[in-house]
Amino acid sequence: LTQLEDMLVDKKSYGLFVIDRSEAAFGIASGKRIHVQEHLVSNIMGKHRQGGQSAQRFERLIEEAAHNFFKRATEHASSYWLPNLEDIQAIIVGGPGATKDFVVKNDYFHHEIAKKIAKTTFDVGYSNDSGVRELVENAGAMMGEIELDAERQVMNVFLGELVKSAPKATYGEKMVRQALDQGAVGRLLISEALRKSSLTLQCGACKHEWDVSLSRNEPIPNCPSCKASGENAEELKNVSLIDELTVMASKSNTEVVYISVDTEEGSQLLYGFGGLAGICRYPMM
Ligand SMILES: [Zn+2]
């Protein structure tokens, strides 16, 4: 993996949370890495009450201890995720019993976190480190679906602009570069399957310099000035087009969204729009 590919993977992360009445653990999954941030143990007493306690009072103490434990665990997890919440696709909750659903339904999580909790919860054997890992295995298919939904949504915003009379959108490398230069792009949509290099070439014959973007197996074209063979041109620069555009985007405060080809909308981006599109801050066409 190149550094950028590594970054792409990190953009899709998930909050993970497992809980039952005796313990809880939480962390984050990004790409292939799973990080368990904390494992908490409850102090909910056992099933046997002390002499002198009424059954009712004992029951109340247990519920109070359970409530405090759920509150502590969800608060710790919420404050861990909140600073990076915009990079978190969804929060996935699991556990061995009914506690996981109880905690979700009774609004224990911070309200911003609650918005990102996946609708399905997952059964796992334990609410500890191994439970967090098991959660990722069990939720894998759903994580994929969540990512694809997010990609479809952003593509539909772009496609929706295109049918308007003054679209706040642009596409294709040339137009997207221009719009990025003007700082006009709010969100830059890049197809993950875009495998082009951005080159600056110098003609071996007339020393003319020019820029071109080429796919991996595409031959270097002839000099646009003197028509000398591209074989004799010198590469002054050769970077991946995705890297170059990502750097341009960061200069204009543009959010970069990577789109896979795993959806119909995603293949439309690659084959219909040259793998590049911009959702713009003002009308571009
Ligand atoms: Zn030349």
Side-chain angles (χ1 to χ4, degrees):
L1 288 183
T2 68
Q3 206 174 353
L4 186 89
E5 278 165 334
D6 227 1
M7 244 174 62
L8 293 184
V9 164
D10 281 352
K11 277 287 164 192
K12 290 168 183 168
S13 50
Y14 292 85
L16 306 166
F17 187 86
V18 289
I19 192 165
D20 59 56
R21 286 170 75 89
S22 59
E23 55 181 354
F26 63 87
I28 201 157
S30 42
K32 292 186 167 63
R33 285 191 304 274
I34 299 168
H35 168 72
V36 180
Q37 175 69 11
E38 195 181 353
H39 175 222
L40 304 96
V41 177
S42 83
N43 54 2
I44 304 174
M45 347 167 195
K47 290 188 171 88
H48 303 288
R49 65 187 152 111
Q50 311 278 311
Q53 286 178 335
S54 75
Q56 218 177 9
R57 178 172 152 72
F58 180 67
E59 203 55 41
R60 207 183 59 234
L61 284 174
I62 285 185
E63 285 324 302
E64 211 174 279
H67 168 76
N68 288 338
F69 174 61
F70 300 160
K71 195 161 173 286
R72 179 161 63 99
T74 52
E75 278 175 3
H76 284 208
S78 294
S79 39
Y80 172 61
W81 294 320
L82 273 173
N84 299 307
L85 195 58
E86 60 190 42
D87 294 328
I88 293 179
Q89 296 258 338
I91 308 283
I92 304 192
V93 177
T99 301
K100 57 181 180 301
D101 301 298
F102 179 85
V103 164
V104 172
K105 282 186 190 119
N106 288 280
D107 299 325
Y108 276 94
F109 287 100
H110 185 282
H111 64 277
E112 288 298 325
I113 300 290
K115 286 181 199 163
K116 291 213 169 183
I117 294 178
K119 284 189 185 79
T120 314
T121 58
F122 292 86
D123 283 320
V124 295
Y126 302 95
S127 303
N128 56 15
D129 289 42
S130 78
V132 169
R133 281 161 220 285
E134 198 186 338
L135 182 62
V136 175
E137 284 169 29
N138 296 354
M142 192 187 66
M143 290 178 178
E145 271 314 304
I146 291 171
E147 275 163 26
L148 295 184
D149 270 349
E151 292 179 5
R152 278 188 203 104
Q153 271 173 31
V154 67
M155 273 304 291
N156 284 330
V157 172
F158 165 69
L159 295 169
E161 280 300 324
L162 286 188
V163 298
K164 291 181 183 171
S165 58
K168 286 191 266 186
T170 186
Y171 57 87
E173 185 186 336
K174 193 179 163 211
M175 301 300 285
V176 165
R177 276 183 188 275
Q178 276 178 17
L180 279 172
D181 268 336
Q182 294 169 26
V185 183
R187 274 184 286 176
L188 173 63
L189 281 51
I190 302 182
S191 172
E192 286 178 354
L194 186 69
R195 291 278 176 269
K196 279 190 163 180
S197 302
S198 169
L199 292 87
T200 300
L201 298 167
Q202 187 177 44
C203 173
C206 76
K207 303 297 171 195
H208 174 71
E209 286 178 23
W210 78 101
D211 295 325
V212 67
S213 297
L214 295 177
S215 303
R216 272 192 194 149
N217 300 319
E218 225 173 316
I220 292 175
N222 293 343
C223 169
S225 178
C226 76
K227 312 293 176 206
S229 163
E231 282 172 31
N232 302 319
E234 192 190 344
E235 281 182 15
L236 301 181
K237 180 195 83 180
N238 184 344
V239 297
S240 117
L241 182 58
I242 293 188
D243 283 0
E244 188 173 69
L245 293 172
T246 302
V247 170
M248 283 177 81
S250 69
K251 286 178 185 157
S252 54
N253 214 1
T254 300
E255 184 195 344
V256 179
V257 187
Y258 302 98
I259 309 279
S260 73
V261 286
D262 300 337
T263 66
E264 206 182 308
E265 292 84 350
S267 12
Q268 206 175 346
L269 176 64
L270 181 64
Y271 299 111
F273 300 101
L276 289 169
I279 298 170
C280 297
R281 299 181 165 122
Y282 45 83
M284 295 301 292
M285 292 187 265

